[in-house]
Amino acid sequence: MEKFILFIVCYYASWLLYFQMFQRPLFLLYNRKLSARPISVHDLPDMSMYGLKTDVIVCAYLTSVPLLASISQAFIQTDFLPQFMTFYNAATAIVAGLMVIADTALYSFWQHKIDASVLAYLKTLRWAIASVST
């Protein structure tokens, strides 16, 4: 039971660190010219705290599937968890990486981060293509 709890906590923490230590600094560095004033080192903790709520929610979503798989592993005596986690980690890493790249690159065109409002663009792909120049 302790290993199970430690696994889930570490998995959750690894995603949170990914967003806080990789995604946010990458976004800030790429879009620093769009800021109204220069971003200083003293602004970074405030920016991290501002985005922490969203990061916590996204990490909870990403951890929910391994949590359910781990619980089912406890009741079903099979060894599917290592293979499943390899597939799940690869799939979520690809999707998260593409989202980070898209979010970072599209911010300069749309002036807001990707959220549910992007779904309106998916109805007509021409609008999405017309809204960017690259």
Side-chain angles (χ1 to χ4, degrees):
M1 183 65 150
E2 293 166 357
K3 288 182 183 180
F4 167 73
I5 293 170
L6 183 63
F7 166 71
I8 294 300
V9 168
C10 289
Y11 192 82
Y12 181 86
S14 67
W15 275 112
L16 194 59
L17 283 173
Y18 168 78
F19 288 118
Q20 288 288 316
M21 303 303 264
F22 176 73
Q23 186 270 338
R24 184 155 289 106
L26 175 72
F27 181 86
L28 291 172
L29 284 172
Y30 187 84
N31 292 304
R32 69 185 176 276
K33 294 177 182 171
L34 299 174
S35 178
R37 63 180 178 84
I39 298 171
S40 72
V41 176
H42 302 292
D43 295 329
L44 296 177
D46 292 336
M47 291 179 188
S48 280
M49 290 306 293
Y50 181 78
L52 186 62
K53 179 181 176 184
T54 304
D55 293 344
V56 165
I57 292 168
V58 170
C59 292
Y61 283 130
L62 291 171
T63 306
S64 63
V65 173
L67 175 66
L68 293 173
S70 298
I71 290 171
S72 67
Q73 176 76 33
F75 292 109
I76 302 169
Q77 297 301 324
T78 61
D79 237 3
F80 77 96
L81 193 60
Q83 296 87 3
F84 173 76
M85 287 306 299
T86 300
F87 172 77
Y88 181 77
N89 286 333
T92 54
I94 290 169
V95 170
L98 290 173
M99 289 298 294
V100 165
I101 292 167
D103 186 35
T104 301
L106 290 175
Y107 184 80
S108 61
F109 297 105
W110 292 349
Q111 298 299 311
H112 61 88
K113 294 179 68 74
I114 292 178
D115 58 4
S117 63
V118 174
L119 298 176
Y121 284 104
L122 294 178
K123 290 180 183 176
T124 56
L125 200 51
R126 286 188 202 158
W127 292 357
I129 294 170
S131 68
V132 296
S133 64
T134 55

